């Protein structure tokens, strides 16, 4: 079923993981997180993927073994509903490591009770966190991934079209969100976006924030968050009626066949005031300056420095990436199979940019009592610079 | 800001947790999961809620302290961005338990690395899993919660209207999903639904499964799953074009201001065949028989027994709740702040039904090569029986 290029890519990915395991002196990795399983094995079905430091990986299908067999990019698929059954199979084939060996598991996403249960099944082994290894590997996208991310970013044009269809004085933020998401879904977007952090919420990727909601910064991140629908979920779009002369920030995440897009545009309802126009114009200059600074060899922290200095020169230092106690120090982040992949591009991020990385650049000026403007694009690091993956123009869209 | 009834309810909820802690001999609970924090404290902002076995709970705001103070139903709010700051505050006020005491944390949802980090901050204490206590308490909804769940279930009428608007021969499953979700969002639904289990996916609550996709059962659950968009996320709506004479199952979860709805209806495109009509008619009889069996004092497992026997008598035993290796043994589950609250109503579920519980009843007949029919309602257990919370008729809707 699977095409040759995908099979070769999966082999290359698992071989790189194996090399990292050998370097760390670990005996194996047990990959369970659905996004990581998909990365190495090509299926999002519930599976436990056993990757020994040497030898063939084994994909244990917890359910629907035939479906897994059909989608898997790895040759060895075995049905095993439980950890116990998996251990039994490994023991039977002589694949269990020697006692005392280290096995890597994704401790950053697996709940503590599951790790405790696994500890009982794999008693005698040291279970260490393999997530940093996996995420470091996922940081650099291969050609198949870049094509998938380009397609996801392209889909954001549907969000934009959906916004333009619904946005008008008197429309609600929820009308705009529904129109944008509806168009994206009809064009192939999934219903959900995926965060790695345990308390990530999809509402953070469905932001429509108009007028004063643009400067009400809620808990989850130092950005334009929107206010949502009351205390239970105080972020994302609300049912606020949008007024004439307001700026509306639309920060939407999209999921398409495994990969995410994360883009933002700001819309002006009616003619924006000179003040709001200036806010936007300075923002886009900053945005483009940061994008122009992207090239292999640069450190991630340098992009933050470019942005920070630019905001200062523009006179917006106090409103750049938030304000007061809600001012963040970053200019973007990596993304791919998840919305929130490391690193965050901020001070101290010593990750060097390398070709194949995809990062967001997402400056915002948030001025209480005035308005919020934000723009966000995804940039692919190429051998010579940075390439914007999306197709929507970098301008303030005026809607009347 | 908060109304008196909500404040009283929050006090009653925390007092019940405290009674359970005392009974277990635990010194305190540290509640961090956003849905649980909302349950006890009334805010979905990032917080750590300290509930001692005796004395006043303290809500530590990890971010936006003022916003938390405004929404909180508990009087004591303190800003503390980290575990370390929280510990410092507790120590300063003499609120740290004696060394060796047990502190309950939500080990079923907290990732292992976070629990390890907490273990370092709270060295000298035993950290035990408090989730069963919290979930047992959440099982019985109070009046405020019942009103919220009734409103969420009522919103499903928008899903139904959205399906009727979009469904026709030649429409895609994604068109139907976008129309249904769009209407619900415009009427106040949030963008996401929340599962407790770590690998729960929102796609499982955005199912549109037409014709043959009705009997392709994917990995996450023994139900009508749909097939999604390829291997990365093989469940939920797909872009399949819906044909004349097919059954279409729409199983949608909804989120409204903290609480979920989970309902399903089946739609016939064109005139259904006699075989499909019979499938549906037997299903609804079973559905209504199970609902009629709901009353306080019944054990959850008995509902499963009623359903199983009814399916046998109807001649559909082999296709009830799936088929072959993908046949499940359950008839519903509890829900509320999360889509997947315990217990599952299946064999061995010795939970007694008590007034205030809300459970789904969701029978399905899945016949390969023929079709799938499913219906799902939420039932509130009342002092005298069961009350259906939604408003959409329990019939097969024919669309031409």
């Amino acid at each position: 079923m699977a095409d040759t290029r995908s099979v070769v890519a999966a082999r290359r990915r698992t071989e790189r993981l194996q090399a990292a395991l050998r370097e760390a002196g670990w005996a194996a990795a047990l990959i369970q997180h659905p996004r990581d399983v998909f990365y190495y094995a090509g299926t999002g079905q519930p599976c436990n993927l056993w990757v020994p430091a040497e030898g063939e990986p084994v994909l244990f299908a917890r359910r629907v073994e035939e479906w897994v067999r059909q989608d898997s990019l790895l040759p060895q698929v075995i049905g095993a509903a439980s950890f116990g059954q998996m251990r039994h199979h490994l023991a039977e084939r002589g694949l269990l490591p020697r006692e005392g060996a280290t096995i890597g598991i994704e401790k950053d996403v697996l709940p503590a009770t599951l790790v405790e249960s696994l500890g009982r099944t794999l008693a005698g082994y040291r279970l260490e966190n393999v997530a940093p290894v996996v995420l470091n590997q996922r940081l650099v996208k291969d050609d198949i991934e870049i094509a998938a991310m380009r397609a996801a970013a392209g889909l954001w044009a549907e969000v934009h079209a959906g916004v333009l269809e619904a946005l008008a004085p008197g429309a609600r933020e929820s009308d705009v969100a529904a129109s944008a998401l509806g168009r994206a879904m009809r064009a192939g977007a999934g219903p959900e976006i995926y965060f790695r952090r345990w308390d990530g919420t999809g509402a953070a990727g469905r932001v429509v924030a108009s007028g004063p909601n643009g400067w009400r910064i809620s808990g989850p991140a130092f950005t334009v968050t929107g206010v949502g629908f009351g205390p239970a979920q105080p972020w994302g779009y609300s049912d606020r009626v949008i007024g004439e002369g307001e700026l509306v920030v639309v920060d939407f995440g999209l999921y398409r066949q495994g990969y995410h897009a994360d883009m933002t545009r700001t819309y002006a309802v009616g003619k924006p005031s000179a003040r709001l126009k200036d806010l936007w114009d300075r923002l886009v200059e900053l945005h483009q300056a940061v994008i122009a600074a992207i090239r292999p060899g640069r450190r991630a922290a340098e992009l933050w420095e470019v942005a920070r200095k630019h905001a200062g020169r523009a006179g917006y230092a106090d409103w750049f990436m938030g304000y007061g106690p809600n001012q963040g120090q970053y200019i973007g982040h990596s993304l791919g199979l998840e919305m929130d992949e490391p690193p965050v591009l901020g001070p101290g991020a010593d990750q060097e940019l390398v070709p194949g990385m995809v990062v967001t650049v997402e400056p915002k000026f948030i001025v209480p009592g005035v308005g919020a403007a934000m723009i966000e694009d995804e940039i692919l690091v190429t051998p010579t610079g940075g390439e914007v993956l999306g197709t929507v123009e970098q301008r303030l869209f005026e809607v009347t």
Side-chain angles (χ1 to χ4, degrees), chain A:
Chain A
M1 302 292 146
D3 67 290
T4 315
R5 281 182 65 225
S6 300
V7 169
V8 170
R11 172 166 287 274
R12 203 179 302 126
R13 292 176 197 172
T14 48
E15 283 174 355
R16 281 195 56 203
L17 175 58
Q18 291 179 304
L21 293 173
R22 288 194 298 271
E23 202 179 326
W26 295 6
L30 176 60
I31 304 294
Q32 301 169 73
H33 183 54
R35 260 64 73 201
D36 296 338
V37 170
F38 176 72
Y39 180 70
Y40 291 111
T43 176
Q45 294 286 5
C47 289
N48 297 323
L49 172 60
W50 179 261
V51 183
E54 313 256 10
E56 280 294 319
V58 185
L59 184 61
F60 291 101
R62 295 207 301 269
R63 293 276 307 274
V64 293
E65 185 181 340
E66 280 317 305
W67 195 321
V68 172
R69 204 177 291 283
Q70 201 168 48
D71 286 350
S72 175
L73 300 173
L74 303 176
Q76 291 207 58
V77 176
I78 295 175
S82 66
F83 289 144
Q85 286 177 27
M86 176 188 73
R87 191 188 198 287
H88 175 79
H89 279 292
L90 290 172
E92 220 174 29
R93 290 153 186 256
L95 297 176
L96 276 178
R98 61 175 170 71
E99 202 166 310
T102 298
I103 298 170
I105 61 173
E106 299 130 315
K107 286 195 179 179
D108 65 329
V109 289
L110 299 180
T113 47
L114 190 141
V115 171
E116 285 174 5
S117 155
L118 192 55
R120 288 187 292 271
T121 307
L122 296 176
Y125 296 104
R126 288 169 52 93
L127 302 181
E128 295 287 350
N129 186 16
V130 78
V133 175
V134 172
L135 289 168
N136 183 54
Q137 191 178 341
R138 279 174 40 189
L139 183 61
V140 180
K141 275 69 181 170
D142 60 32
D143 288 352
I144 289 174
E145 294 187 284
I146 290 168
M149 292 203 67
R150 200 184 296 279
L155 206 52
W156 215 90
E158 298 291 332
V159 170
H160 177 61
V163 171
L164 293 180
E165 275 174 19
L167 186 59
R172 291 178 190 274
E173 288 177 3
S174 50
D175 295 331
V176 175
S179 176
L181 184 58
R183 279 204 56 144
M185 284 172 67
R186 285 186 193 92
E192 197 184 17
I193 51 180
Y194 295 95
F195 291 82
R196 187 143 191 121
R197 54 173 303 146
W198 72 285
D199 58 352
T201 166
R206 307 287 186 230
V207 171
V208 178
S210 62
N213 286 352
W215 63 79
R216 288 195 64 195
I217 301 177
S218 190
F222 299 99
T223 183
V224 178
T225 57
V227 303
F229 284 94
Q233 186 202 272
W235 42 76
Y237 62 85
S238 79
D239 59 2
R240 180 177 184 276
V241 175
I242 299 166
E244 187 83 32
E246 294 178 351
L247 292 188
V248 181
V249 171
V250 178
D251 179 357
F252 252 57
L254 286 182
Y255 173 91
R256 182 188 174 279
Q257 297 184 21
Y259 287 84
H260 290 84
D262 188 4
M263 288 175 57
T264 305
R265 288 295 181 267
T266 299
Y267 301 81
V269 179
K271 201 80 195 154
S273 67
R275 179 80 202 273
L276 292 178
K277 191 67 174 49
D278 184 69
L279 197 71
W280 172 262
D281 289 342
R282 299 295 82 75
L283 186 76
V284 170
E285 287 165 11
L286 185 159
H287 186 57
Q288 292 171 347
V290 175
I291 293 172
I294 291 178
R295 67 179 62 100
R298 276 269 158 88
R299 284 172 58 246
E302 289 179 70
L303 300 182
W304 156 248
E305 274 306 311
V306 170
R308 191 185 63 78
K309 286 179 183 159
H310 208 101
R313 279 197 303 271
Y316 282 104
D318 291 348
W319 301 288
F320 177 51
M321 311 307 278
Y323 58 92
N326 289 315
Q327 191 166 37
Q329 295 201 314
Y330 73 102
I331 188 61
H333 58 84
S334 184
L335 80 166
L337 290 166
E338 283 154 323
M339 285 279 286
D340 56 342
E341 299 186 1
V344 169
L345 314 179
D350 51 13
Q351 171 72 47
E352 220 176 65
L353 301 184
V354 293
M357 279 177 65
V358 179
V359 297
T360 67
V361 173
E362 48 172 309
K364 58 224 57 161
F365 293 145
I366 306 178
V367 191
V370 174
M374 175 172 170
I375 185 167
E376 179 175 21
D377 280 295
E378 295 165 47
I379 320 297
L380 168 69
V381 181
T382 68
T384 54
E387 179 198 339
V388 176
L389 288 185
T391 60
V392 178
E393 286 174 86
Q394 294 174 344
R395 64 179 182 88
L396 181 66
F397 296 93
E398 293 180 26
V399 175
T400 49

